[in-house]
Structure formats: structure tokens, C-alpha cells
Amino acid sequence: MTSRIFMFFAASLAVCAANIAIDSQVLHDVFGDYKRGPVGAESNVQASAVTPVPEGTLVDLDYWDADSFSPAPADYDKFDWTLTKRVAASSDQNFLLSPLGLKLALAILTEAATGVTQNELSSVLGFDLDRNLVRRKFANIIESLQKESPQYILNLGSRIYIGDNAQPRQRFAAIAQEFYKTELKTVDFHNPAVASKEINNWVSNITQGRIPTLVDEDDVANMVVLVLNTLYFKGSWRHQFAPNATKPGAFYVSPKIQKSIQFMNVNDKFYYTESAKYDAKILRMPYMANKYAMYIIVPNSLSGLPRVLNDLSDLRLELNNLREYQVDVTLPKFKFDYTSQLDGILRELGIRSAFDVTASFPGIARGQRLDERLMVSKVLQRSGIEVNELGSVAYSATEIALVNKFGEDTEANAEVVANKPFLFFIQDEATRQLLFTGRVADPSLADGAFKLS
């Protein structure tokens, strides 16, 4: 009988209205049953204090305004962009990934690995050879994501569900708890109806219903271990699109195909640059509190996005050119779900032993016999995003399965019109971690999928 270990990442991002008076009917029209009220009422969060960091800068709610933009080194998120580029190359449709979600899940898996399995994971992910440096890095990322504010919600949770036929090593359990804030919880996988319900309830609760069903009974039947990370973000555009300014316009899916789409508009101060390298416009759109931001890369030509995607490794360098301008922004409303099976890509990138009989995961012990040891069988991420006048919603779930080895009215200085396929990413500004990367190829499409076996 085949036993399985699944490793998931579930994430959800929602962005709602800025803190200005908005008619309740407008809120209902845009968000449906959206209940206006203090964000703290949903998550019991409090505003975080301004905290100095060793370099003397301030990581606080308004640090962007207090300091100039300083992007991370180009190789800081090499894996994230490599993954994005590979999925983007698979088709010309919409896609959405959570690079951070996958890295968090794989980082915990790496802690359970040894030998070639661990070396391949660390190499492809770009981890330092010093495990303590890696642990501190992720501990700092998680600490940053858990900073609380009344202007946004970010729920972050991590669990490892352990079946009764597996026993985690104490050292692995301690590392998971200390550095990755990961809770170990026993579950009866021999009762898949109960196990799947418990798992789905936990994910749905943290993602506030955005991912109500992550696993089904067949997924968890005879499972050994499930590693699960969940993330939910809800905030507000700092510069809100006025709902009454939204109007239909043409979106050019290709030079020969155009569709009528609802476009939003805002004219305000944004960090912006015209990139000669990519022949594209790059725009930074912050959320309230300036801790998180969405970046939009819109090519100047209708068929220019491949030029951007083919050389993503230099995108961070281009961000050095961002300067504050009065920008007139026209952005389509869009909403879509996306499912990607990523084990094939990870194999191509060099993570091979983890999927083979040579896999070594002694941190999650099931037994010493060859037929009792474990290997990765599947990596799946489910995600989705919605962007409208008041903000956006995004969510994702990454599953890694292991089996037995066998508003200002001012004339604009610049204009960004996203009426053609464009790239976007959402990041934590304090750590420069990519929460989401994606492409809008057709705002009218509601779902998509990618699989490379």
C-alpha cells in the first residue's frame, strides 16, 4: 500500500478600501457582502511600533516615504524569478504563483533532508551552506510577515500533520517550531473523512474562506505526513481607484484580438520608471501602511511581454531607476484562479533526488526498511487573485506530496495604461520577499492550469 506525505502552502491576499469615506452601496457593489469596519475586529491585531534595524533605517508603517527605494541584490530571489519564467513559458495565458509559499514549504522539507537530497534542495533554492543563516533568514521573513497593523491583516500559519505511522525526530520538530513557527499536530489519516475536514477547516479559517477545500478524502487516505503553510493578507490600496471612474475599454489580448474590459483609473504620485532594457513601464502601487506593494510591468508594444519574461534576472536592477512621479494609471479589473503542478519544473531545475528512491528525509522517520522511507511524489499550488477599485484578493496553496520510496487632480508627468498583457508581483517591502508573481494575459478569463510532468 502506498503512503503519502503532502506538503501544502495556502495563501490568500485581499486588498480593500483606503481609509476614506465610501458609500456602503459602492462597497457592496465592488466586494459583495463586504462589512466595513475596523480591520482589528477581524483579526484582533494592534498597530506595530516603529522598530530600528542595525543599518539605522526604520522598518515602520511609512518607511517608504522616509527613505529612498533600495531594491535587493539581483540574485536575492533568483529561484523565484526562475520559477516564474518557467511557468510563464509554458503558455501565453494568465498565471499566478506564490514563490514565497513554495520556498517556505521546501525550506521545511529541506530541514528534514540529508545528503544529496538536502544539497539539491539547498542549491536550487539558493540557500547558504550555513543552515543557521538560512534558518535566521526565514525566521526574519516570518517575523516581518507577522508584524501587526490596524491597516491590514496578515494571517500566517504553518502546520505539520503527522500520521500515527510516522514519528518526527525531536531535532527536526524543534527546528520547525523555533525558526519556521510550525506546529506539529497528530491526525488520523486512516480516517480520511475526518482528516480532510480538519485540514480544510484550518486552511479555510486562516485564508478567510478563500480556499475552502484544499484536500479531499482521496488526497489524505494513507498519507504519512502533511506539511502545510498558510498565508492570508488583506489590506488597502494607498491610492484608491475611484469606483465612478471605472469604464469599459479595449484590452489587446494579442495584436489581432481585443476584448472589452472594465478599466479603473487613478491619478496620483507613484514610484515609476520607463525601462529601456525591457521597453516597458514599471509602476509601484503601494498598499496602505506601505509595507506591501504590487509592481506592474507593462510593455510598450502589444507583443513585448516575452522580452521582459526572458530576462527577469535583471528586473531588480531596473527597480533602482524608480522615481516618484505624478502618474495617471489605467488598470483593468481582473479575477482568476490558477492551479500549477510544479514537480516537473523542480526536477528540471535540479531537485531530483527528492523525487527518487535515493531520497533521504530522516527528519521525518517512519521506519528503517526501504519500503517505509519517503520521497516526494507531487508539488501542487492552487492560487487566485482579484483586483478591483478598492484593492485585490489573492490566494494560493502549494502541495508537496511524499510517498514511500517506492486621488489628487493634478496633471500627470507619466501615464501607465495596462491594456495589453502585463507582468505583476506583490512583495513584502521590508524583506523584498515575493509573495506573488503573475501575468494578466486576458482579464476576462476566470481560471487556468499548468502541469509539467
Side-chain angles (χ1 to χ4, degrees):
M1 179 179 293
T2 299
S3 299
R4 290 178 285 177
I5 298 180
F6 281 85
M7 191 170 175
F8 287 86
F9 175 83
S12 181
L13 168 75
V15 184
C16 45
N19 60 345
I20 60 176
I22 301 176
D23 183 77
S24 60
Q25 184 58 45
V26 173
L27 288 172
H28 184 275
D29 291 343
V30 175
F31 274 130
D33 282 328
Y34 174 87
K35 296 182 178 179
R36 181 78 169 173
V39 171
E42 297 178 76
S43 62
N44 298 317
V45 298
Q46 301 294 323
S48 58
V50 174
T51 306
V53 295
E55 290 77 13
T57 58
L58 292 178
V59 180
D60 68 339
L61 297 180
D62 292 306
Y63 83 94
W64 179 269
D65 291 332
D67 202 359
S68 60
F69 177 61
S70 178
D75 61 351
Y76 183 73
D77 42 24
K78 181 178 178 181
F79 169 77
D80 305 36
W81 293 122
T82 300
L83 178 71
T84 300
K85 178 180 177 180
R86 185 61 189 86
V87 173
S90 66
S91 77
D92 56 1
Q93 302 301 309
N94 297 342
F95 76 85
L96 181 70
L97 296 171
S98 179
L100 176 59
L102 182 59
K103 282 200 299 188
L104 280 170
L106 289 172
I108 296 174
L109 190 66
T110 303
E111 294 288 359
T114 58
V116 174
T117 304
Q118 185 186 73
N119 291 339
E120 288 182 351
L121 283 162
S122 296
S123 176
V124 171
L125 293 168
F127 288 171
D128 194 281
L129 294 178
D130 186 337
R131 295 300 305 163
N132 288 323
L133 288 179
V134 176
R135 290 163 188 160
R136 287 197 294 271
K137 173 183 176 180
F138 278 98
N140 289 336
I141 292 170
I142 292 170
E143 180 183 6
S144 177
L145 294 176
Q146 290 179 331
K147 288 186 181 297
E148 298 174 344
S149 169
Q151 294 180 300
Y152 60 80
I153 302 171
L154 197 144
N155 296 335
L156 179 67
S158 185
R159 275 186 179 180
I160 299 178
Y161 287 95
I162 306 290
D164 56 12
N165 58 346
Q167 180 63 46
R169 300 290 174 85
Q170 289 186 355
R171 175 174 171 77
F172 170 70
I175 290 172
Q177 177 62 51
E178 175 68 20
F179 296 101
Y180 301 94
K181 304 303 181 211
T182 299
E183 173 189 10
L184 274 66
K185 186 174 178 60
T186 301
V187 66
D188 183 7
F189 289 123
H190 295 296
N191 189 338
V194 173
S196 60
K197 182 178 180 180
E198 178 179 345
I199 293 165
N200 288 330
N201 284 346
W202 185 73
V203 172
S204 181
N205 181 57
I206 290 187
T207 62
Q208 300 207 359
R210 292 290 173 179
I211 305 178
T213 306
L214 184 59
V215 297
D216 58 30
E217 293 183 26
D218 289 339
D219 288 330
V220 301
N222 300 311
M223 189 181 287
V224 181
V225 178
L226 170 73
V227 182
L228 180 62
N229 298 91
T230 58
L231 175 66
Y232 175 86
F233 172 74
K234 181 176 183 178
S236 312
W237 290 128
R238 178 174 181 180
H239 305 302
Q240 181 198 347
F241 295 90
N244 60 3
T246 299
K247 58 184 179 181
F251 186 94
Y252 294 88
V253 176
S254 72
K256 295 182 179 180
I257 301 174
Q258 59 178 282
K259 295 186 177 181
S260 179
I261 299 296
Q262 290 293 312
F263 281 90
M264 309 175 293
N265 181 261
V266 63
N267 185 338
D268 217 310
K269 289 184 178 180
F270 293 94
Y271 277 81
Y272 160 90
T273 188
E274 178 79 28
S275 170
K277 176 180 178 60
Y278 293 123
D279 188 25
K281 296 175 172 63
I282 302 176
L283 176 73
R284 175 187 180 273
M285 298 176 58
Y287 299 119
M288 290 294 292
N290 295 322
K291 178 167 169 52
Y292 300 96
M294 175 185 284
Y295 291 75
I296 306 286
I297 301 94
V298 183
N300 290 322
S301 68
L302 295 179
S303 57
L305 191 55
R307 176 172 174 176
V308 179
L309 293 168
N310 287 339
D311 199 8
L312 283 175
S313 59
D314 287 340
L315 182 56
R316 287 290 186 197
L317 297 178
E318 289 297 291
L319 298 185
N320 280 311
N321 300 321
L322 287 171
R323 299 291 184 271
E324 191 173 50
Y325 293 91
Q326 189 76 25
V327 186
D328 188 79
V329 180
T330 300
L331 185 69
K333 296 175 67 170
F334 59 93
K335 176 181 180 180
F336 64 88
D337 294 316
Y338 191 79
T339 300
S340 49
Q341 190 165 328
L342 301 171
D343 33 301
I345 284 182
L346 295 178
R347 286 191 187 97
E348 284 187 353
L349 296 180
I351 299 176
R352 299 186 179 93
S353 174
F355 296 94
D356 194 65
V357 293
T358 58
S360 176
F361 294 108
I364 307 174
R366 182 166 183 261
Q368 296 304 313
R369 299 202 319 261
L370 288 178
D371 64 346
E372 291 178 328
R373 294 165 65 187
L374 306 166
M375 71 178 187
V376 174
S377 67
K378 181 171 63 175
V379 179
L380 180 72
Q381 186 171 96
R382 300 170 189 167
S383 55
I385 188 165
E386 177 180 359
V387 171
N388 57 36
E389 293 89 348
L390 305 182
S392 51
V393 180
Y395 40 95
S396 84
T398 304
E399 163 193 320
I400 302 180
L402 282 75
V403 298
N404 285 347
K405 279 185 174 178
F406 327 104
E408 184 179 1
D409 188 15
T410 304
E411 184 176 351
N413 301 122
E415 183 180 33
V416 176
V417 181
N419 63 349
K420 59 184 78 68
F422 61 89
L423 180 73
F424 68 90
F425 63 92
I426 299 169
Q427 73 175 11
D428 173 11
E429 297 290 68
T431 63
R432 301 294 192 257
Q433 285 297 314
L434 296 174
L435 276 66
F436 296 92
T437 61
R439 171 178 58 205
V440 176
D442 185 345
S444 69
L445 297 182
D447 57 68
F450 163 74
K451 178 179 180 181
L452 177 63
S453 57

